[in-house]
Structures are given as structure tokens and as C-alpha cells.
Amino acid sequence: MKRAFVSALALSTMLFSSPAAFAQELATKDRIGLTNAPKTLTVRLTNDSPNNPDPAIAQGYQKLFVDFIKKHPDWKLQMQFMSADIGTEQAKMLEQAKAGNAPDCAAVDSFVLSQFMVNHVLADFTPYFSKDEVADLFPFIRNGITDKDQAIRAWWWDTDLRVLYRNKSIVPDAPQTWDDLKKAGLASVKEGMEGILFNAARYEGSTFDWLANYWALGGKLVDDSGKPVFGEGENKEKFLKALTYYKDLVDSGAAPKRVTTIGNYDDLNAAAAAGTTALFIGGNWQLAQLKATLDPDEFANWTFSPIPGPTADQRSTGTGGWTIASFSKDKDKVEMCANLARDIYMGPGNALQQQLPTRKSLFDRYDVFATEANKTFAEALANGQARPGAPIYPEISNQIQIMMGDVLSGTKQPEEALNAAFKATMEAYKRL
């Protein structure tokens, strides 16, 4: 015990006696901490880390990690970084976790968190976060990280959401309902614009952006067991209502038929920059992109508001983001991973990358989130909903993308397209 104490004291002395040398020695490309630190935590991250391609953000993360390891001088972090192929990376990590070979601590996409939960590969974070911290989370975040036994299985630290952008000089008032948006789209067409734009080409963003309309009606894609239910009973009625709403936007001319070719948020920015649209459904991150793209006078004309619902009181918006989770069975490593999630990502990481926090109070703690725009985003997050983490979701999304193209192009009527999508989804579900 005495030797361990002396060793820890020596390490601590080394860490704090020469800050410049410390930073040089400890912050290597694949390691944070002294090479001879007695404890090792393997950490696998995305580019939300010192591996970020933006030098300023990479340097900011390196400082956060170095500051973190100063508090834990008997640890070193063995760093691993994911490629940009996130789907493959997450699938690979799940298989590694099932085989007992996953890293001790890693970034897990909130989109697939449930798949890790149902395979019982995530450690329990419950002891390391206070009840106040958990209560401060937005409801969809709290639900997303909690398993059926009410244990916290990951810490979800950043999120995003979809909103309606509009040019105030063309559409002065924020549309509150589906009818309002149709009228605004038609009015903008009379001003020489092409109406409301949204993703409707064959890609995940098209499904996710449209789902806000289905969720606003209370529709569910899967039941509690993960079985698809969107083509049955009340869910089918709600699905058809939301699908018919999009079809009517195109059929009426409030949205152009070319939406079926839009499969990239950048295309929406380009239309705004070219002055060909006054309305589009986009992500919160696009506000900064518009500011960087448009002249100041033109940017001043743009604002955003929650996605309109079937009624003004029925609202929803799709949300995503990243979590930090542990796959270790070693309690010390689990606690170290939880500390990393708290000290580096829960607040500091949000502010560094200007990624929306998942806790309401953090919007007031950091100046970057205290802006009117970010406060409005925070209010909209109260209606946030995440995609179900059920293994069948990717196929559901694929079928919705096919269905959307068929309906908006006029190839199929909504119910015919929905029946085909649900049948194909159920056939895929039986093969799982």
C-alpha cells in the first residue's frame, strides 16, 4: 500500500511540476497519460475528440483530455478512433462487445444504443450520475439511456433537432399547423419562389425529417418488443394521414416535385443562398451554415421555428446525438469512463463544438448556448423524439424512403405504398 501511495505521489508530482513538458509527453496521437501509468483505459471515439479534422477543435479536445488526466495521474487513456463509416464501426463494436473484446469506454451513436442495451453489453452508469443531473436531461434523452430496469446504460451528451427555416421577408409569420405551412408555401410560389423544400430522395434524412409529422400524431413505428406496427390499426391511420399531408404539399404546388431529388441538407442551403426558396425543413446546425454562406443583410431575413404540426399543439421533431458508454466489467474502469463523459463531454465538449447539450441547465451555463437562437432550440427539444433503436429500424427507414418516392412522384397511392412498405418490412423482420 505504501509503495502504491509513493508511486501515485511521484506521478502526481511529475504531472504538476512541469505543465509544458507534461503536455508534450502525455498527449500523443494514441495515448493520453504517462506511458508507465499503472492503470489503462482503452477509449474508442469519433472525431469528437483530439482526432477532429479542425485543428482548433482538435487542440481544444487535447486540452480537455490533458486537464482530465491531471486529475487521474495513475491512469493513461489508450486512444482508438473510428472511421467515417459510422454504421460499420458501430456494428463492428457491437460484435466485439458480444465477444468480450470491446474497448473499455467508447462513443455509441444514440441511433443504435438500444441494440447494445438488448444485448446486455453495457455497464451500469447509474452510481456515477446524480439524480439532479438525470432529472435535468430532456425527456427523450432520459428515456433513451435508461433500460427496462431503470439503470443508466450510457451518457448522452449532445443532440440536434429539425426545424422549419423561413425567409421573413417572404413569410413574415411562423406557420403553426400543416394548413398554415401549405398556405405559406403557396404564397411563396406567388412571389416567384419554388415553395417549401425538404429531403425526400432515397436516404435516411428523408425518413427522419418526415417522421416528425407521424410522431406528432402519436404514431409508433415498433412496439415495445421491436416488432413493426406502423402498418396496423391506429398507427396505420396516423401514418396515412402524415403521408397524405406530404403528398398534398406536392400535389397542390406548395412544394415542388423536385423534392424527390433532394437528399442532402447542403442542397437546402444552396437553394436559400440562391434565393429560390423561402421555406425548408432543416437541422439546427444549418443556422450557422446560413450565417457563413449568406450576406449579412440576407441572413438577417432568415429565422426558424418548430416544425408545424397537424394542430398547433401537436408537435414533434427528430433528434439524434452521441453517447459515451462503457463495456468493461471492471468497476474502476466503468467509473473512469463515467468521469470522462462528465468532465470532458457533458458541457465542455458541447461548448467546444457548439453542439446542443442534453441538459436544460447547460444552455444557461455556457455563453455560446445563451443566445436567443439556442434557447429557442432548447424549447423545441422538449418535443424531441429519437429513432427507435430496434434492429429492424434500418429496413423501416429503407422502405419509407422507397414509399416516399413512389407517393410523391405519383407512382403509387399512399395506402398502396404503405401496404407494400409494411409487407416488405415484416418479411425482413421475420429474417432477423
Side-chain angles (χ1 to χ4, degrees):
M1 178 65 74
K2 185 177 180 181
R3 174 179 290 182
F5 172 76
V6 171
S7 177
L9 179 62
L11 280 169
S12 179
T13 301
M14 291 175 63
L15 295 179
F16 291 100
S17 61
S18 180
F22 168 78
Q24 292 172 0
E25 294 172 359
L26 299 187
T28 66
K29 183 177 181 181
D30 59 359
R31 174 178 49 78
I32 304 291
L34 289 171
T35 55
N36 60 347
K39 300 179 181 179
T40 301
L41 187 79
T42 57
V43 183
R44 187 177 299 171
L45 300 170
T46 65
N47 282 343
D48 296 332
S49 68
N51 197 47
N52 194 285
D54 184 323
I57 293 176
Q59 187 175 10
Y61 268 116
Q62 180 171 306
K63 182 179 186 307
L64 290 174
F65 273 83
V66 168
D67 290 346
F68 175 72
I69 211 66
K70 284 181 179 178
K71 298 178 183 176
H72 307 279
D74 50 347
W75 285 87
K76 63 175 175 291
L77 309 178
Q78 200 64 50
M79 308 294 279
Q80 303 172 358
F81 299 108
M82 301 179 196
S83 70
D85 187 356
I86 295 302
T88 299
E89 292 281 359
Q90 296 289 295
K92 174 184 173 184
M93 196 161 65
L94 177 57
E95 292 307 311
Q96 290 177 326
K98 290 161 68 175
N101 299 320
D104 301 316
C105 185
V108 176
D109 195 335
S110 61
F111 171 42
V112 295
L113 186 60
S114 293
Q115 295 181 39
F116 287 80
M117 284 189 187
V118 299
N119 282 283
H120 306 290
V121 295
L122 300 176
D124 187 357
F125 268 2
T126 308
Y128 311 112
F129 292 93
S130 70
K131 291 183 178 178
D132 287 343
E133 287 172 333
V134 175
D136 194 30
L137 293 168
F138 291 106
F140 74 94
I141 298 287
R142 194 162 53 243
N143 294 336
I145 62 175
T146 306
D147 68 12
K148 60 182 179 59
D149 298 321
Q150 300 306 303
I152 303 297
R153 294 296 176 180
W155 194 254
W156 193 334
W157 65 275
D158 78 319
T159 189
D160 51 35
L161 74 157
R162 278 69 184 159
V163 294
L164 171 67
Y165 286 94
R166 76 178 194 280
N167 185 322
K168 293 180 292 185
S169 68
I170 306 295
V171 184
D173 300 320
Q176 301 296 319
T177 67
W178 291 354
D179 288 342
D180 289 345
L181 184 57
K182 178 181 176 182
K183 291 175 183 175
L186 291 171
S188 72
V189 171
K190 288 185 178 179
E191 295 293 328
M193 319 295 279
E194 59 178 341
I196 180 171
L197 299 183
F198 46 79
N199 287 308
R202 191 166 178 183
Y203 103 117
E204 166 62 16
S206 299
T207 296
F208 197 28
D209 294 357
W210 170 81
L211 280 174
N213 302 291
Y214 179 52
W215 286 330
L217 291 165
K220 292 185 177 181
L221 293 174
V222 299
D223 65 16
D224 292 341
S225 70
K227 179 183 177 182
V229 295
F230 64 88
E232 301 173 335
E234 292 183 358
N235 286 311
K236 180 177 181 178
E237 294 177 15
K238 293 170 182 175
F239 198 101
L240 284 173
K241 188 172 182 178
L243 181 58
T244 301
Y245 157 59
Y246 253 34
K247 181 177 186 299
D248 184 50
L249 288 178
V250 173
D251 289 350
S252 67
K257 285 193 174 182
R258 86 170 183 95
V259 292
T260 58
T261 67
I262 298 177
N264 191 318
Y265 293 102
D266 291 343
D267 292 348
L268 305 173
N269 288 341
T276 59
T277 188
L279 292 157
F280 69 87
I281 302 293
N284 64 286
W285 62 90
Q286 288 182 261
L287 184 65
Q289 293 173 347
L290 289 177
K291 186 176 182 179
T293 302
L294 303 177
D295 293 336
D297 290 345
E298 187 60 26
F299 176 71
N301 287 328
W302 283 88
T303 187
F304 65 92
S305 56
I307 295 174
T311 69
D313 296 329
Q314 291 176 290
R315 305 287 188 125
S316 185
T317 183
T319 54
W322 282 90
T323 77
I324 298 292
S326 176
F327 300 106
S328 178
K329 297 185 184 303
D330 182 323
K331 288 186 177 179
D332 287 347
K333 291 185 176 181
V334 176
E335 182 175 6
M336 187 64 172
C337 183
N339 288 336
L340 185 151
R342 169 186 287 101
D343 292 357
I344 295 178
Y345 287 100
M346 191 179 74
N350 296 112
L352 174 63
Q353 289 190 270
Q354 298 190 32
Q355 293 177 345
L356 298 179
T358 55
R359 292 177 55 198
K360 300 171 190 172
S361 65
L362 295 183
F363 281 84
D364 293 325
R365 185 176 302 176
Y366 294 91
D367 290 343
V368 68
F369 298 120
T371 64
E372 287 304 315
N374 278 324
K375 287 182 177 179
T376 304
F377 286 138
E379 291 173 2
L381 282 173
N383 296 317
Q385 184 152 337
R387 287 160 284 194
I392 192 61
Y393 175 76
E395 183 59 25
I396 292 176
S397 174
N398 179 47
Q399 292 300 326
I400 289 177
Q401 295 163 36
I402 295 171
M403 177 201 68
M404 193 71 70
D406 288 341
V407 171
L408 298 187
S409 66
T411 304
K412 290 183 179 178
Q413 290 300 305
E415 185 163 10
E416 178 190 8
L418 170 56
N419 289 339
F422 189 63
K423 180 181 178 182
T425 300
M426 291 305 296
E427 290 174 350
Y429 178 72
K430 293 173 184 174
R431 294 194 295 270
L432 289 178

